[in-house]
Amino acid sequence: MRHLHIAHSEALDVSYPCVDELDDDALSDGGEEDFRLEQFDMAFAQARSILGSEENSGISDKQIKDTVWEFYFDVEKSIDWLLGGIEHETSLPSQQTLSALQRLSLTQRIQPNKPSLVSLAKVSQEAPSSTSKPIKSIASSQTVSTSKLSLLAQGKESKLLSSSSLQRLAKPSIMNTKTTSPVQSKLALKAMRVKETSITKSASLDDKLQALTTQESYSLPPTPDVLGLPSPFALTLSSSTLSPVVMPRAFSFPVSTFAFETPSPDDLVLQARQKTALTALKQQKGANKVIPTPKKSTLNASPQILKATTSKATSSASTTINVTKTAPSVTISQEELDLAALNISAEPKLVTVDELPKASFAREALLQLARLEIQEQKPRINLVVIGHVDAGKSTLMGRLLYDLGKIDEKTRLNTVRASEKSGKGSFSWAWELDGTVEERQRGITMDIALQDLSTTHRNITILDAPGHRDFIPNMISGAFQADCALLVVDSSTGEFEAGFDKGGQTKEHLLLVRSLGVSQVIVAVNKLDLVDWKVDRYEKIVSDLRGFLTQAGFPSSRTNFVPVSAIGGTNLIATSNNPLSLRDWYNGPSLIDLLDQLETPPRSLELPLRIPISNVFKGQMGSASGLAVTGRVCSGIVQVGERLRILPGNETTTVRSIEQEGSVLCLPSELVPLASKFSAQVIIFDISLPITPGAPVEMFYHSRDVPATITRLLATLDRGSSTIVKNNPRVLLKHTSAKVEIAIRNTLGSSGFSIPVEPFRVNKELGRLVLRRGGETIAAGMILLA
Ligand SMILES: Nc1nc2c(ncn2[C@@H]2O[C@H](COP(=O)(O)OP(=O)(O)OP(=O)(O)O)[C@@H](O)[C@H]2O)c(=O)[nH]1
């Protein structure tokens, strides 16, 4: 999503260590130990996030720490080992056979060239560096991570394939595992060089150490998945990177155990330091306002704290929630590193934090306030602009925004010049919305563009959706946020038919938005200038569309048609300039009149808070090192100072500030249920192949999409009454209504992958879904039972 700001945005600030804030300087000599500690913390936090809580995974912090330590911060290997993926040919040492001090000493010796650099570099490589990636880009990178994780679980190597230009630009389908190679940062390249040297130098020592390995393995209890695995968003919020970090095996190397019989010179030095550290730590205690970390021992740093400063957000139209990540106020000294490495649990680790804001209003008072505000303000509506490719959607919106004074003359002049210079003069209006180089070069919209406009009685957020079939996933993400739709059709000869017939996007878009709950639609019959404003042409198009709209379930009372020419600005706002050839047969409302009459959807203020997170931005809005999340408040109300849960996962955060835009934020007392399998009622679209049990699909729900399988065909239903026509059908054909069972894929080891869903009858917005297969939208419907 290029234009990141959606109306009624909300902001949250988060504090925790951020890997991306480290640069080469942080890796210089003086910071080595601090860095090692941070790296350990980070690896531990990532492993913990991926495995889930101790309670649910059955894997203790200590086990993770020991493993992470032994695999030298290699999260992939550690998880592999903990989940039993590695054949345990190298087993972990017990505390009895190898002290932490000895291990520290060991790692210092066998890693003369700071292999920790490598791990960090891999983190930098994996983490998206952009601070304002489009929603779909970030979602795509999550998809890649997830896919890699599942491959890891199966013990396979992920294969990076190159993709065509179009596929790269489109949101990659989860069905394909195509991805682009990560761009290597300077730091990463440096680290790789260091690593290569390190591996060569330490090879012989590793061999020697291998011989000294002591055998001991943990036997893990089964890992029930009650809370579900954290989503990529939750991982981003709760760890220092934007995605779970899985380091390629090329960078993993066995660090075997080593039973020191006598203290080494390093041990002696470290023991001396330990004494000093303990004294210093005791003196420091009580100096500041401090919060001890939950565990007293070792290297446990998990300070994820969302801090709030202002205001509230209500269940409304599309809402942006900005989460800003601030630099951590954690000071880690050499002493602490030593203490941690020694596993001394006598003293808690001290972490200073800013004072947390407190929620200012009681819930009932807040509800009253929100109701009042809604009454007093112009209703806010989200309008998704849909239609076949090149119908003129962006041109229409660009022209409308200009005529409403939302685009100043200077900007307009620049856009005209730039488009003409590129030989794309006819796209100059579209360029006002299609802002990326790729979109401008190709002359098509690729991602949702957001713009706000105001009519006399409405505040409208426009979501300009791409029409090209390759970008339907992006279009769906816009449709999920919409209250109503503006369908643009090209009336020129042959073009309306191309978009309306099979293979065109007109019907597909209409069916999609309808199945996502949109029942109001305005149809702009565009490019009538190209057919000389012929009334016959207009009426033919209206008649064809009216029939289809009724069939698709759009009530005729909430369907309106308007003849326009986007490029000439005809009948968009004022009707006085309409050409005679139009005025001869049309004296109805202009487009803006129809927009001004759009019905406001009801807002579910009283329902539990639900904010599906649609995007995460780093270093955005408020704090240079911050993290912002955006999402629509589907129901409920949220205020500054409120503590929120991020599901799936086990993270709790506090809202720091509200600026007004897979994971869902909700109140800790009213959690969204998580499910990895559920039943759904779906309408099958005009599919080319019938659906059979076991069909792999991409499931879109709120702003996320996940790989899933239609595991069972439970029944076919009567389309009108929803009564059962046939139980356990063998296949589902096009245009049928059916009850199916859907299972979420992407399993990591034996654990299921759960997502936050609610049945449609409980929460309409969280209860809707769309299914796609091989680039084709095959069904849409609602979740029945989670
Ligand atoms: N003659 C004429 N041309 C138009 C009109 N509206 C748009 N166009 C042209 O149609 C072409 C496509 O316009 P866009 O606005 O990019 O179409 P779109 O629907 O946004 O395209 P995608 O977002 O890529 O699906 C451009 O060359 C426009 O100049 C119109 O009312 N009359």
Side-chain angles (χ1 to χ4, degrees):
M1 201 171 283
R2 277 170 291 108
H3 304 272
L4 308 173
H5 190 80
I6 310 181
H8 290 304
S9 310
E10 318 291 325
L12 318 167
D13 284 2
V14 195
S15 290
Y16 58 84
C18 173
V19 169
D20 285 3
E21 287 157 30
L22 294 175
D23 53 20
D24 293 32
D25 292 342
L27 307 174
S28 63
D29 295 339
E32 181 182 353
E33 299 306 332
D34 285 358
F35 170 65
R36 194 192 298 278
L37 177 59
E38 278 193 33
Q39 200 187 10
F40 181 93
D41 284 349
M42 192 174 67
F44 165 71
Q46 283 161 358
R48 176 86 278 170
S49 302
I50 291 167
L51 291 165
S53 70
E54 180 170 342
E55 201 186 1
N56 295 311
S57 64
I59 300 173
S60 70
D61 284 1
K62 184 171 175 307
Q63 285 173 306
I64 297 177
K65 283 173 184 171
D66 279 352
T67 314
V68 163
W69 188 255
E70 287 308 320
F71 286 113
Y72 212 78
F73 318 149
D74 184 327
V75 178
E76 177 191 4
K77 273 214 148 193
S78 303
I79 289 177
D80 239 351
W81 198 95
L82 285 162
L83 294 175
I86 291 177
E87 294 293 285
H88 291 195
E89 75 280 357
T90 53
S91 53
L92 292 180
S94 67
Q95 293 301 315
Q96 291 78 25
T97 55
L98 185 64
S99 73
L101 175 63
Q102 287 166 327
R103 274 180 275 145
L104 177 64
S105 171
L106 170 65
T107 53
Q108 281 173 337
R109 284 186 216 179
I110 65 172
Q111 306 302 329
N113 289 317
K114 292 187 265 182
S116 51
L117 279 171
V118 177
S119 304
L120 178 73
K122 293 315 294 173
V123 171
S124 328
Q125 274 182 286
E126 298 271 338
S129 57
S130 166
T131 54
S132 57
K133 279 200 157 193
I135 285 182
K136 289 297 131 190
S137 306
I138 291 184
S140 305
S141 65
Q142 292 156 355
T143 305
V144 169
S145 305
T146 316
S147 154
K148 284 168 87 177
L149 276 175
S150 40
L151 286 174
L152 165 64
Q154 295 160 23
K156 293 176 187 168
E157 290 293 335
S158 142
K159 196 177 176 187
L160 300 179
L161 303 171
S162 64
S163 54
S164 74
S165 164
L166 198 60
Q167 284 161 331
R168 269 202 310 277
L169 294 164
K171 179 183 173 192
S173 160
I174 293 176
M175 307 297 294
N176 313 322
T177 49
K178 291 181 181 178
T179 177
T180 52
S181 301
V183 178
Q184 294 198 336
S185 69
K186 213 169 108 191
L187 178 60
L189 290 169
K190 179 179 167 184
M192 282 171 70
R193 280 198 296 275
V194 171
K195 171 68 188 166
E196 279 159 16
T197 322
S198 167
I199 290 172
T200 320
K201 282 188 183 173
S202 62
S204 59
L205 185 53
D206 279 351
D207 291 345
K208 216 163 101 188
L209 294 173
Q210 189 79 39
L212 297 167
T213 303
T214 53
Q215 295 297 320
E216 182 189 294
S217 59
Y218 295 114
S219 68
L220 298 176
T223 56
D225 179 35
V226 179
L227 289 167
L229 292 170
S231 68
F233 283 128
L235 285 174
T236 305
L237 289 173
S238 63
S239 67
S240 306
T241 60
L242 274 179
S243 58
V245 177
V246 181
M247 292 169 219
R249 285 171 191 276
F251 289 100
S252 309
F253 49 96
V255 177
S256 310
T257 56
F258 181 67
F260 277 75
E261 307 295 330
T262 54
S264 69
D266 283 352
D267 293 342
L268 296 174
V269 173
L270 287 166
Q271 277 165 6
R273 280 183 185 170
Q274 173 215 344
K275 283 184 193 154
T276 324
L278 270 177
T279 319
L281 207 59
K282 279 175 186 160
Q283 283 168 354
Q284 191 189 342
K285 201 178 165 192
N288 297 318
K289 179 179 168 51
V290 292
I291 295 182
T293 48
K295 291 236 172 196
K296 284 182 176 179
S297 67
T298 71
L299 298 152
N300 186 7
S302 55
Q304 304 98 25
I305 299 153
L306 301 186
K307 302 170 194 168
T309 53
T310 59
S311 203
K312 67 181 185 306
T314 56
S315 155
S316 74
S318 188
T319 302
T320 309
I321 299 177
N322 301 317
V323 181
T324 319
K325 185 174 69 173
T326 54
S329 50
V330 181
T331 319
I332 303 170
S333 64
Q334 176 62 47
E335 288 87 358
E336 285 178 280
L337 172 72
D338 294 345
L339 283 174
L342 288 163
N343 242 352
I344 289 173
S345 55
E347 294 296 327
K349 184 157 155 259
L350 304 178
V351 179
T352 58
V353 298
D354 296 345
E355 201 165 328
L356 289 176
K358 288 196 173 58
S360 47
F361 286 100
R363 188 138 290 271
E364 199 40 52
L366 194 68
L367 270 173
Q368 285 296 350
L369 208 68
R371 284 189 202 109
L372 261 177
E373 236 176 67
I374 286 175
Q375 272 170 21
E376 282 169 8
Q377 288 175 1
K378 279 191 209 173
R380 178 161 285 282
I381 292 176
N382 283 350
L383 178 88
V384 65
V385 188
I386 56 174
H388 188 64
V389 65
D390 279 352
K393 300 178 288 297
S394 303
T395 302
L396 181 65
M397 293 331 299
R399 180 74 208 218
L400 192 65
L401 289 167
Y402 175 76
D403 289 350
L404 287 170
K406 297 279 293 181
I407 297 169
D408 62 68
E409 287 299 337
K410 199 172 158 203
T411 311
R412 177 69 202 137
L413 210 64
N414 286 341
T415 316
V416 172
R417 277 199 200 122
S419 60
E420 279 169 359
K421 205 170 153 193
S422 310
K424 301 264 179 191
S426 73
F427 286 89
S428 74
W429 290 111
W431 277 30
E432 299 293 355
L433 280 95
D434 297 341
T436 68
V437 175
E438 295 294 339
E439 284 178 315
R440 291 181 167 195
Q441 274 173 3
R442 296 174 62 88
I444 56 171
T445 307
M446 294 177 181
D447 206 346
I448 295 284
L450 291 176
Q451 288 290 339
D452 282 336
L453 63 83
S454 198
T455 66
T456 315
H457 302 104
R458 302 281 182 267
N459 282 322
I460 301 176
T461 299
I462 305 279
L463 301 115
D464 181 26
H468 197 287
R469 58 177 297 119
D470 285 358
F471 303 104
I472 286 207
N474 296 359
M475 179 266 159
I476 295 173
S477 114
F480 259 107
Q481 303 176 53
D483 301 310
C484 45
L486 172 64
L487 171 72
V488 182
V489 291
D490 183 342
S491 63
S492 58
T493 316
E495 291 303 321
F496 169 72
E497 289 72 14
F500 191 63
D501 293 344
K502 192 165 166 55
Q505 264 60 62
T506 308
K507 286 180 182 172
E508 183 176 8
H509 280 194
L510 280 171
L511 284 172
L512 270 170
V513 294
R514 183 68 197 95
S515 53
L516 294 176
V518 172
S519 60
Q520 277 186 91
V521 64
I522 298 171
V523 181
V525 183
N526 190 30
K527 303 196 190 179
L528 276 167
D529 56 294
L530 292 179
V531 290
D532 301 325
W533 298 97
K534 285 198 181 112
V535 65
D536 297 356
R537 181 67 176 160
Y538 176 76
E539 282 177 351
K540 160 90 172 74
I541 290 169
V542 169
S543 147
D544 285 358
L545 276 169
R546 209 186 281 285
F548 180 75
L549 285 166
T550 315
Q551 226 181 4
F554 288 90
S556 56
S557 59
R558 307 180 91 200
T559 306
N560 285 290
F561 294 85
V562 59
V564 296
S565 164
I567 210 156
T570 311
N571 209 27
L572 299 187
I573 299 179
T575 51
S576 51
N577 291 333
N578 285 357
L580 272 178
S581 42
L582 171 61
R583 276 198 264 169
D584 277 348
W585 54 269
Y586 186 81
N587 63 358
S590 66
L591 177 63
I592 202 82
D593 295 334
L594 292 175
L595 292 175
D596 198 44
Q597 291 162 18
L598 283 170
E599 285 175 36
T600 325
R603 305 295 180 209
S604 319
L605 295 183
E606 285 80 8
L607 290 179
L609 176 71
R610 300 294 186 247
I611 309 175
I613 297 175
S614 52
N615 209 347
V616 180
F617 309 103
K618 295 182 80 181
Q620 291 280 302
M621 305 172 209
S623 157
S625 57
L627 232 181
V629 300
T630 66
R632 176 180 181 175
V633 182
C634 285
S635 60
I637 190 164
V638 62
Q639 64 178 322
V640 164
E642 204 136 53
R643 286 181 73 73
L644 303 177
R645 270 287 294 276
I646 307 162
L647 289 174
N650 206 4
E651 302 302 328
T652 304
T653 62
T654 303
V655 180
R656 184 181 187 121
S657 64
I658 298 175
E659 284 178 20
Q660 292 245 174
E661 189 178 283
S663 295
V664 173
L665 291 172
C666 57
L667 295 178
S669 54
E670 297 167 318
L671 298 185
V672 192
L674 292 170
S676 56
K677 198 180 262 190
F678 45 82
S679 58
Q681 184 175 331
V682 293
I683 293 275
I684 311 297
F685 287 9
D686 192 8
I687 48 177
S688 40
L689 285 173
I691 297 171
T692 49
V697 291
E698 244 179 297
M699 186 182 112
F700 289 74
Y701 69 109
H702 52 82
S703 333
R704 286 191 64 190
D705 55 314
V706 289
T709 304
I710 300 178
T711 39
R712 289 169 64 201
L713 310 181
L714 301 170
T716 49
L717 308 172
D718 180 84
R719 284 188 67 162
S721 62
S722 291
T723 50
I724 293 178
V725 174
K726 185 171 192 253
N727 274 317
N728 304 316
R730 291 201 341 203
V731 288
L732 295 180
L733 304 174
K734 60 178 150 186
H735 305 311
T736 45
S737 171
K739 195 174 159 185
V740 296
E741 182 187 75
I742 296 171
I744 304 303
R745 283 195 277 121
N746 263 11
T747 53
L748 177 64
S750 56
S751 303
F753 183 76
S754 302
I755 57 167
V757 286
E758 265 177 333
F760 184 79
R761 67 186 150 74
V762 178
N763 190 311
K764 287 191 175 158
E765 309 230 13
L766 287 189
R768 293 183 197 283
L769 56 86
V770 169
L771 301 176
R772 304 195 87 223
R773 176 180 64 182
E776 182 187 28
T777 307
I778 58 168
M782 53 197 181
I783 292 160
L784 296 175
L785 212 60

